[in-house]
Amino acid sequence: MRVSMLLAGLTALSSPAQAAKKRLIIDTDMLNFDDDPLAIGLANIFQNWGEVELIGVMSSINSRFAPPAFDAINTYFGHPDIPVSVQKPVDNMTQWPEYPEFGDYVTGLTYNFTEDVRDGTNTPDPVSSYRYLLSTSADKSIIIAMIGFFDNMYHLLHSGPDQISPHTGAELLSSKVSELVVQANDVGLSYNTNTHNCTFAQVFLNWWPGKLTFASDDVGDSTYIGRRITTKLDVRTNPLGYALRANIGRSATHQVWDAVAVYYAVCGLDDVFRWKYPRGGRVSLNASAYASWESVAPDAKGTGWDCRTRSSSGSLIRRLRRAWRTR
């Protein structure tokens, strides 16, 4: 994504002709887990199928390699000008130290695939990007897929009026976002909410006033992908094939929690999911980001749902495999 084209790209994305189309922002902690690049690739494929418009990919970590890796995936699928951003200041992380068994792919995506970001320092701040994308979008037109940490959401929530918009972050989120899809558990602890900064997730999710859907761990836990991607896709040209081969190895499989969340964000329940709580409810997080579920009236403020696969995960896996076989 040419940074000099950012404002032009954002203006094009917000044109009146696009106002009625479902629009998606992905907020990810992509570093060295396999499900993040698959989730971004899946959104690009759905865009090519005309089912969604991916209008931004935000990094909730600080790796300088994350934005160019995003751009490599977006560019491969024909969308080189999707805005990308990362928290500042950037660092040189390529792997989570506590997970050395999963290989680095972000540097390979940066240096071996077509992209023109080059370094995260060349991208805007995520809060500024969010404020622009939200302020130039129609009301209730955006879905945010939260498949990472809550840094960006927390800081956006507390942002005030600026040259981008006269509205606060809370006002923009409330008016522009139709649904927040979170890869986390509706009850208990979750990697994305309690392993990084519990306060960010607690404050944001306890505040969130709109529709909230959880793609819980147990859905992704039973959804294994990888064998065909690491063996059938050309790892020299396909960034998803490369990322998975580098990350988990040839012919290996792994859970794809984040891709499940993005599938729901675009397709809804489809015929593969059902609601765990058909009448909805409300989630509250304590100071440790431990989530508790409370049943409430379906039209109550801040109503949330938790999606589950209808029976087994087989049909979902088949859908995902079909998508990733295509460009």
Side-chain angles (χ1 to χ4, degrees), residues 253-274:
T253 63
H254 201 266
Q255 297 100 320
V256 288
W257 303 276
D258 293 345
V260 171
V262 166
Y263 185 98
Y264 167 81
V266 176
C267 301
L269 292 178
D270 204 2
D271 60 354
V272 299
F273 295 117
R274 60 177 175 82

Side-chain angles (χ1 to χ4, degrees), residues 274-297:
R274 60 177 175 82
W275 295 126
K276 178 181 177 182
Y277 310 102
R279 291 179 58 84
R282 182 180 293 126
V283 166
S284 61
L285 275 65
N286 67 14
S288 300
Y290 186 98
S292 300
W293 184 271
E294 174 191 4
S295 296
V296 297

Side-chain angles (χ1 to χ4, degrees), residues 39-166:
I40 296 169
L42 184 64
N44 275 272
I45 291 167
F46 281 141
Q47 177 160 328
N48 287 342
W49 291 354
E51 297 185 22
V52 75
E53 183 181 9
L54 179 61
I55 65 170
V57 184
M58 315 295 183
S59 176
S60 58
I61 60 171
N62 296 73
S63 173
R64 67 175 67 252
F65 299 104
F70 300 158
D71 195 45
I73 297 170
N74 295 338
T75 299
Y76 175 80
F77 287 102
H79 311 126
D81 294 321
I82 293 174
V84 298
S85 65
V86 66
Q87 293 195 108
K88 309 300 188 301
V90 299
D91 59 36
N92 295 317
M93 282 190 67
T94 60
Q95 290 179 284
W96 298 114
E98 61 270 38
Y99 296 102
E101 67 271 28
F102 298 114
D104 162 36
Y105 55 77
V106 291
T107 52
L109 290 177
T110 297
Y111 296 127
N112 300 328
F113 289 83
T114 301
E115 58 80 30
D116 58 10
V117 173
R118 306 312 300 163
D119 190 288
T121 57
N122 298 323
T123 68
D125 174 80
V127 171
S128 298
S129 295
Y130 265 118
R131 289 184 59 81
Y132 195 99
L133 290 170
L134 294 179
S135 66
T136 55
S137 296
D139 287 353
K140 301 300 181 184
S141 64
I142 290 179
I143 296 173
I144 298 178
M146 283 296 309
I147 59 173
F149 305 132
F150 281 78
D151 302 47
N152 297 330
M153 291 290 96
Y154 178 87
H155 296 306
L156 174 60
L157 174 62
H158 291 90
S159 67
D162 57 12
Q163 70 275 18
I164 297 173
S165 170

